Amino acid sequence: MGDRVASVSAVAIRHAKPSDYGRVIGLVNVWWGGREMAPMLPKLFFIHFEGTSFVAETADGDLVGFVCGFLSQTADDEAYIHFVGIDPEARGSGLGRALYERFFEEVRADGRSVVRCVTSPANERSVAFHESLGFEVERVVPDYDGPGEDRVLLVKRLS
Amino acid sequence: MGDRVASVSAVAIRHAKPSDYGRVIGLVNVWWGGREMAPMLPKLFFIHFEGTSFVAETADGDLVGFVCGFLSQTADDEAYIHFVGIDPEARGSGLGRALYERFFEEVRADGRSVVRCVTSPANERSVAFHESLGFEVERVVPDYDGPGEDRVLLVKRLS
């Protein structure tokens, strides 16, 4: 953890805006080590789901994390988290937890009692992080998101 | 156009189901000439937006097209089309139009009066197709969906 994000208390979380997208996608590619992540995170999430998407900024205005989610259109008691990104220098600061909790609060207010998301089975750190937030592993599904794209299905009941 | 899809009248359009996803994503990669399209079209669209996503099948049960869209959560008069795929052998049959019209009908019933989507400026055929369906070009935005990902923003008012 770098000095720049000494603690989550120095970070402000607010709703994402469409104008945040360019900055977010530029950083996401860096945070993922140069992988081209834009296809997974088109701008539409910042336009049509801004009410359930959040960004985290330092007092200096540096973007250090975000979460993009939405209310399920099919299941009216469910919400879904599609994408979460945390500045590698901010990992371990509690920022991921704070972003998820902000999301939980928002969707609970919208009458949702279940939150779902998926992650890669190879990403044990992600599975452990979700379990620490109260998610349970429902199952692991081979080829869930296309050929070779196995996924762990995670679910959390909001209390 | 192949013999298999002689006309759109031989094709049935129905709501997409989560169980359609594996078949769709396998075909999409083929239809796009081997490009890996799964990152742009995760399974979540077939789970959480099935009410505004449709597949088209021949009488033999072959999948020949689909459309994935959703109701905007931010703008309660808008709907958005995220992804459309048509079997190359079915192009020119009117199937794309039929899928869009099914989507318009659905979202109009949900109280939406505006439909938006984006396409690549390089894809002149796509822009022309959308214009033939009553979409207007709002503007072309450089780097809209990330670095180098320029997009034409299209909008249609439902009457």
Side-chain angles (χ1 to χ4, degrees), chain A residues 21 25 38-40 42-44 47-50 52 70-74 78 80 82 144-147, chain B residues 21 25 38-40 42-44 47-50 52 70-74 78 80 82 144-147:
Chain A
Y21 178 75
I25 203 67
M40 279 187 224
K43 187 169 183 173
L44 67 89
I47 296 175
H48 295 292
F49 304 111
E50 57 178 283
T52 47
F70 55 80
L71 307 175
S72 175
Q73 214 176 264
T74 305
E78 287 190 19
Y80 185 86
H82 171 54
Y144 181 83
D145 265 337
Chain B
Y21 178 75
I25 204 66
M40 279 186 224
K43 187 170 182 172
L44 66 89
I47 296 176
H48 296 292
F49 304 111
E50 57 178 283
T52 47
F70 54 80
L71 308 175
S72 175
Q73 216 177 262
T74 305
E78 287 190 21
Y80 185 86
H82 171 54
Y144 181 84
D145 265 337

Side-chain angles (χ1 to χ4, degrees), chain B residues 81-92:
Chain B
I81 294 180
H82 171 54
F83 208 106
V84 180
I86 305 288
D87 184 334
E89 291 194 22
R91 299 219 175 119

Side-chain angles (χ1 to χ4, degrees), chain A residues 9 17-18 35 40 45-46 55 70 76 109 119 131 143 145:
Chain A
S9 64
K17 295 180 294 198
R35 260 178 84 189
M40 279 187 224
F45 286 96
F46 283 70
V55 298
F70 55 80
D76 65 8
T119 194
E131 288 180 331
D143 302 324
D145 265 337

